[in-house]
Amino acid sequence: MLRIFCGALIALTAIAISGCGTNKLPLNYAPTSVLTASGETKVDPFEYAPARGGKIKSNQIRNTAMGNVYFEQDIGVLFKDAVFKELRFVGVKVGVGTATLSGEIEEFLIDDLGYSVDWTLRVNYQVKDASGTVVYQAVKNIERNTNKFANIFGALNETIKLSIEELIKDPKFLKTIE
């Protein structure tokens, strides 16, 4: 009986450790906001500041537990696509107009030490007019806590959506894309 228990424990440990490897996780952001908005804007790439200087890779979200979390796409590309999809989903005409939305992801952290997971996503959004002048700038910071064994893809999508919704709820942003 002890041999079976030890074998099962070794197998579970191997499975748990293999999840922390270097395999790249696929992620396809699905828009889910129930907000509505109007206006028009182009969406340019978002810079992923944590990857500047090579501390982490451009397709990696910082986390505090053992191992690394890598995605098939760079985080800046993933975020740009999510913003594009979410804005279009709520009613904004995307890819047209004179306003251009872009920004910098200042922090994206999964604090997964302990019994729950703390998510932090801080994005500095910017809108430029046709001349390149910044007409809107705001930092949206999302901090949330989820169950340790929640669906990581669902939690990640929700965290990104909440950030974009903070942007959509901002009347100053909406005024710049009218």
Side-chain angles (χ1 to χ4, degrees):
M1 186 69 157
L2 183 60
R3 181 183 285 180
I4 292 171
F5 176 75
C6 289
L9 184 60
I10 290 170
L12 285 174
T13 302
I15 290 169
I17 292 173
S18 71
C20 298
T22 59
N23 290 335
K24 295 177 183 174
L25 299 171
L27 182 65
N28 185 16
Y29 182 84
T32 59
S33 181
V34 296
L35 299 176
T36 59
S38 62
E40 51 188 39
T41 186
K42 297 173 185 131
V43 180
D44 271 359
F46 280 72
E47 184 178 353
Y48 186 47
R52 229 184 280 138
K55 287 185 180 179
I56 65 169
K57 295 185 178 193
S58 61
N59 66 332
Q60 178 184 2
I61 294 178
R62 287 189 328 113
N63 68 306
T64 56
M66 184 173 64
N68 297 304
V69 180
Y70 296 103
F71 293 93
E72 287 180 342
Q73 278 186 308
D74 287 349
I75 302 304
V77 172
L78 168 73
F79 200 82
K80 174 194 180 268
D81 292 348
V83 169
F84 181 96
K85 290 174 184 178
E86 205 67 67
L87 288 177
R88 185 174 62 185
F89 192 72
V90 300
V92 174
K93 294 178 184 172
V94 183
V96 297
T98 58
T100 303
L101 172 64
S102 65
E104 178 180 75
I105 302 160
E106 296 178 349
E107 179 70 274
F108 207 163
L109 174 66
I110 303 170
D111 183 357
D112 47 350
L113 283 177
Y115 297 103
S116 63
V117 180
D118 294 317
W119 297 79
T120 302
L121 174 59
R122 186 173 51 253
V123 181
N124 185 349
Y125 292 96
Q126 281 190 356
V127 176
K128 293 181 181 177
D129 64 14
S131 69
T133 303
V134 175
V135 294
Y136 172 85
Q137 184 276 322
V139 174
K140 305 299 181 185
N141 191 55
I142 301 299
E143 293 179 351
R144 57 191 298 259
N145 181 275
T146 62
N147 186 311
K148 179 82 171 192
F149 301 105
N151 174 350
I152 186 172
F153 298 113
L156 184 65
N157 265 359
E158 183 70 12
T159 303
I160 292 170
K161 179 194 81 162
L162 290 172
S163 176
I164 299 166
E165 282 186 336
E166 286 301 307
L167 176 69
I168 294 167
K169 291 180 200 175
D170 189 336
K172 292 177 185 174
F173 166 70
L174 294 175
K175 182 123 179 92
T176 63
I177 64 167
E178 286 182 332

